[in-house]
Every structure is written in C-alpha cells, then in structure tokens.
Amino acid sequence: MARTRQPASGTPVGLLRRVLPPPALCGFLVLLVLVFAVSYAVGRSVGPVAPRMHGPGITQDGHEGGGTDVEDDDMGGMNHGSGH
C-alpha cells in the first residue's frame, strides 16, 4: 500500500492552512464585497432618489434649525388649532 507524504504540522504549509479561513468562507467574502461594489457603482451612477429630501434639521432654504413655523411648510395656508 502506497503512503502519501503529509506535511508536518510545524512546517509553513501546515501553519498556513491553520491560519487561513476555509476556502468557502473566502469565496463568500469575495462575493459579498463584489455585490456591495456593484451596488455602490449602480447607485452612484443613478444619482439621488429624492433630490429635494432633507433631514429634519435643514430647511428648504438650506439653513439649519428646522423651525416649526407652518407658513414655511409646503401646506402654508393651513393653520393648526382652528377647529374647522
């Protein structure tokens, strides 16, 4: 019966196999990075989905503060608390 020669555990090849993650995990991580890179590239080329949408702290004129004045809102003619 023929015997195959196995590298000793102290050799650099044995040490390298123990340090590196399994090939399936490496393939999954490469695929994950590739999917995120393609997604980023597509999103970057398409541009913003809602260009005029801002966070709650920025008003339409670009100043911070996000005041609660209803006359500055898109529905400026509506008054709160009128009861009608």
Side-chain angles (χ1 to χ4, degrees), residues 30-47 49:
V30 168
L31 183 64
L32 192 66
V33 168
L34 182 67
V35 167
F36 276 111
V38 169
S39 173
Y40 179 80
V42 169
R44 186 85 174 163
S45 68
V46 169
V49 175

Side-chain angles (χ1 to χ4, degrees), residues 36-81:
F36 276 111
V38 169
S39 173
Y40 179 80
V42 169
R44 186 85 174 163
S45 68
V46 169
V49 175
R52 295 195 62 188
M53 185 180 290
H54 299 292
I58 300 175
T59 60
Q60 286 186 356
D61 60 356
H63 294 94
E64 291 189 27
T68 59
D69 188 11
V70 289
E71 294 301 317
D72 290 337
D73 292 339
D74 289 337
M75 300 174 71
M78 301 194 63
N79 294 324
H80 292 272

Side-chain angles (χ1 to χ4, degrees), residues 9-22:
S9 62
T11 63
V13 175
L15 180 65
L16 189 61
R17 283 187 180 162
R18 280 188 282 152
V19 173
L20 289 177

